[in-house]
């Protein structure tokens, strides 16, 4: 059996080759499991962060609306339906945009770390 430039002519070399194969297979498997765990944790943390951010933004917006003078609500653009829409629909779109930004930043950081360590 020929492996690279070395001829495997005895049983010890063949056994050593299989031993290294299983060692590297185990290392690759452990790396794959580690990547899966890290990705799961990062997705959970990202979801939690964006949910908290959206809740804080919604609360701040609601507080700001409540503190407006009465004349603010006389404007047709500031009707109850429009303000409720701002609190629900527009906050979801802001949350979606923030998730995309966080994902891009985390991908960049992880690519940088992977590039440095490899």
């Amino acid at each position: 059996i020929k492996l690279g430039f070395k001829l495997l002519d005895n049983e010890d070399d063949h056994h050593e080759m299989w031993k290294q194969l299983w060692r590297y297979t185990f290392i690759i498997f452990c790396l794959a499991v580690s990547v899966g765990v890290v990705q799961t944790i990062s997705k959970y943390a990202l979801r939690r962060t964006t949910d908290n951010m959206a809740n804080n933004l919604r609360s701040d917006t609601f507080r700001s609306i409540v503190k407006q003078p009465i004349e603010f609500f006389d404007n047709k653009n500031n009707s109850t339906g429009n303000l409720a829409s701002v609190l629900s629909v527009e906050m979801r779109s802001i949350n979606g945009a923030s998730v995309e930004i966080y994902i891009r930043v985390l991908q960049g950081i992880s690519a940088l770390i992977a590039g440095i360590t490899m």
Side-chain angles (χ1 to χ4, degrees):
I1 298 172
K2 186 173 182 180
L3 179 66
F5 296 108
K6 183 179 176 186
L7 248 121
L8 298 176
D9 52 2
N10 63 21
E11 190 65 31
D12 289 337
D13 289 341
H14 187 70
H15 178 71
E16 183 63 29
M17 180 185 72
W18 279 104
K19 187 175 167 185
Q20 287 181 2
L21 176 72
W22 281 109
R23 181 181 309 136
Y24 291 127
T25 303
F26 179 73
I27 290 171
I28 290 171
F29 175 76
C30 289
L31 287 173
V33 169
S34 300
V35 166
V37 168
V38 168
Q39 283 182 348
T40 302
I41 291 170
S42 68
K43 285 180 183 180
Y44 172 76
L46 179 66
R47 172 53 62 198
R48 205 140 159 185
T49 301
T50 56
D51 285 347
N52 287 340
M53 185 180 71
N55 288 337
N56 290 339
L57 184 59
R58 190 176 291 121
S59 296
D60 291 345
T61 304
F62 181 75
R63 271 191 238 110
S64 174
I65 290 171
V66 169
K67 290 180 182 179
Q68 296 298 319
I70 296 297
E71 297 82 29
F72 175 79
F73 300 100
D74 291 337
N75 188 345
K76 287 193 178 215
N77 292 333
N78 299 329
S79 68
T80 305
N82 287 343
L83 295 175
S85 172
V86 166
L87 286 174
S88 63
V89 175
E90 292 183 18
M91 293 300 157
R92 271 192 229 125
S93 64
I94 290 171
N95 189 18
S98 65
V99 167
E100 288 297 320
I101 291 170
Y102 280 133
I103 288 173
R104 301 264 187 247
V105 168
L106 287 175
Q107 283 177 342
I109 290 171
S110 62
L112 180 67
I113 291 170
I116 289 172
T117 58
M118 300 269 175

